[in-house]
Amino acid sequence: MTLFRRFLLAAATVLCAALPFAAAAQDRPNTILVLDGSGSMWGQIDGVNKIVIAREVVGTLLDGFPGDQNLGLTVYGHRERGNCADIETVVAPGPGTLDAIRAAVNGINPRGKTPMTDAVIAAAEALRFTEEKATVILVSDGIETCNPDPCAAARTLEQAGVDFTAHVIGFDVTDPEALAQMQCLADETGGTFRSASNAAELTEALTTVAVVPAPVPQEVRIVAVHRPGGPEIDAAIDWKVRAGSDGGEDGAGPGFVLALSAGDYEVRGIRAEDGAEAAAGFTVPRAAEAGSLRVEVVFPEPEPDPVTVTFEARIGGEAGPLVADPVIWTLSHAGAEDEATGNPVVNDLPPGSYEVTAYWTAQEVEQSRQFIVTEEPRSVVLVFDEPVPAASVTGPATAVAGSTIEVGWSGPGGDLDYIGIGPAGAEGADVAQNFSYTRDGNPLQLLVPIGEGPYEIRYIRQQGRETLATAPVTVTPVSATLTAPAEAVAGSTIEVGWTGPDYRNDYIGIGAPDAVGTDLWENFTYTREGNPLKLLVPTEPGEYLITYFTDQDRVNIGQIPITVTPVGATIAAPAEAVAGSTIEVGWTGPDNRNDYIGIGRTDAESSERWENFTYTREGSPLKLLIPTQPGDYVIRYFLDQDRAAIAEASITVTPVGATIAAPAEAVAGSTIEVGWTGPDNRNDYIGIG
């Protein structure tokens, strides 16, 4: 089937709207002469005041100035001393003003400051420089004394003006800064800067900038192209060139050459072979440039033959199966659109750039792509993802935080599909704070997060982590209560009663009130150990909290305070003992499981604090083996928890001696008698080697 036919019709003809252009520019722009009337003009050159020289030079200029030229006069610094606002347009610009300007110049009495920049601005405004071409001729003998930035002001005038130009003449100026200011005023507006040091140079400079050069015709070559900068078209074209509403010139052929004065023009051409029209505007500059001015007129290319394009919507990839359901196609080209229904569809289209959109009605999804039609038939395939399978989840409307609930489900049941639970509206990994794989059964067990609030149970497809179904569930708070003594001796074991959810691996812990992280529980016991359960008290006295923690996220759901009081002990032992001997040590203390009495060097640290030890469960007094190295030692009572020492006694270990009496010789293999003296510690022995 052939569709989108209006693209063929739309491409058959391209109409180019005519462009409006202004009439040719006038040769003589409106002009104001800005004359320095500041006090420095009383200075002399060769014995003659500069103001007198200026009067004579301006008079000479006016003698040869065209009477129909629009000319005005602005003067500054001629009325008041020290006033930067002393600027006056003495003669408004217009024709026939030469005598008035001459009289005004002869009457200037210099006395004030030099606001030359603001005077140029005032002259530009008098010339309506934002509406018409305007020229200002400034004659000044000194540095700007009012406006801080002549360059910035000149740039503003140039940007705001239609065709604004400021010519500047520095009269008897030697200050480098003043010369730079004047040069900048001229450069920023496209004007000329001249320096004059006497009457003759001032006359030459004024004459040079005031004379408008006669227009120079420019050779203009009109050419036809299919794109800007492209090759010229070799086709028969009828040309018409016009300047505004004035008459112009006609021509014919692929190109057209003519001579034109400065101004704005419009050229229009009609291609003979198909009647296609095109137009362009151009400007001939006032100053002729070397060579001819090339004007390109862009014509549409002739309509090419249509090309067959096949459109297909497929599933999963370009080689996947065709979408069987109705597909609505929308084709966009050159601002126009057309539709067709089917899959596939075949179209005859002109070469060009297109965009096509396929809407799969059954799934309510669409795909788009851009493509280019050249001279060869082609196919355009739009690929859709496989349809999302149906799924559902069912679970309780409410659930206690941290509990395990049953969830029923239906869906594709992929090996890595899973049922997750997360906050309502969550994104990313939070959509499934806890989850169970669908392969775990139906219904399956799902652990509820410990935080309360609105949640969603979700069926999540492993491919793309896509959510196929949801069910809301409100998670209600979970809490616990604890009972325990208000005080306990450091290192002791207390009983703690509790109520709570008793989730797997929930536990009761004890820790300091300001603790964070795992320090929240210095000691703990799992709730599965019973009720009440045994909890070991820390060895450091102080204020503590007993807390019920859920295994999930280690959340505190109940706690009570407890004060841990100091634990005491005493040690009774001899002040001295022989090295290697065994002594009796009496003691009092908590006798916690695995508490022990140890002996070690006075300055020992860590486990070297007990070179030998005996558990307190051995009784009181107990037997303690003395180290073999003489010196100063300490006997300490150690708590099993944290190896904390809670009592100690000093002891001095004295050297031990022994003697041996035996024959000096003996027959090999014989038995001899050996006499000895010594400590006779258990398992001491006499050996020969």
Side-chain angles (χ1 to χ4, degrees), residues 368-501:
S368 298
R369 65 171 290 186
Q370 295 178 339
F371 64 97
I372 297 175
V373 176
T374 57
E375 298 178 354
E376 298 294 329
R378 63 164 300 177
S379 63
V380 176
V381 179
L382 274 73
V383 177
F384 287 87
D385 292 333
E386 293 185 10
V388 177
S392 68
V393 288
T394 57
T398 62
V400 177
S403 64
T404 299
I405 59 174
E406 281 194 347
V407 177
W409 58 270
S410 66
D415 188 54
L416 294 178
D417 290 0
Y418 54 94
I419 307 299
I421 183 171
E427 297 180 355
D430 285 338
V431 300
Q433 291 182 345
N434 298 325
F435 68 92
S436 295
Y437 289 107
T438 55
R439 64 172 182 250
D440 292 335
N442 191 0
L444 49 72
Q445 303 295 310
L446 183 62
L447 181 63
V448 176
I450 202 67
E452 61 185 279
Y455 281 74
E456 286 183 334
I457 303 170
R458 301 176 174 91
Y459 186 115
I460 300 174
R461 193 181 187 190
Q462 186 272 337
Q463 182 179 358
R465 301 293 188 268
E466 185 178 10
T467 297
L468 303 184
T470 63
V473 59
T474 299
V475 177
T476 58
V478 63
S479 62
T481 63
L482 298 168
T483 58
E487 292 186 356
V489 176
S492 64
T493 298
I494 61 173
E495 285 192 343
V496 178
W498 57 270
T499 66

Side-chain angles (χ1 to χ4, degrees), residues 161-172:
V162 171
D163 187 358
F164 178 75
T165 305
H167 301 298
V168 183
I169 299 172
F171 184 32
D172 191 34

Side-chain angles (χ1 to χ4, degrees), residues 501-520:
D502 194 21
Y503 298 140
R504 181 175 180 272
N505 291 333
D506 284 1
Y507 54 95
I508 310 294
I510 184 171
D514 58 351
V516 294
T518 56
D519 288 338
L520 288 167

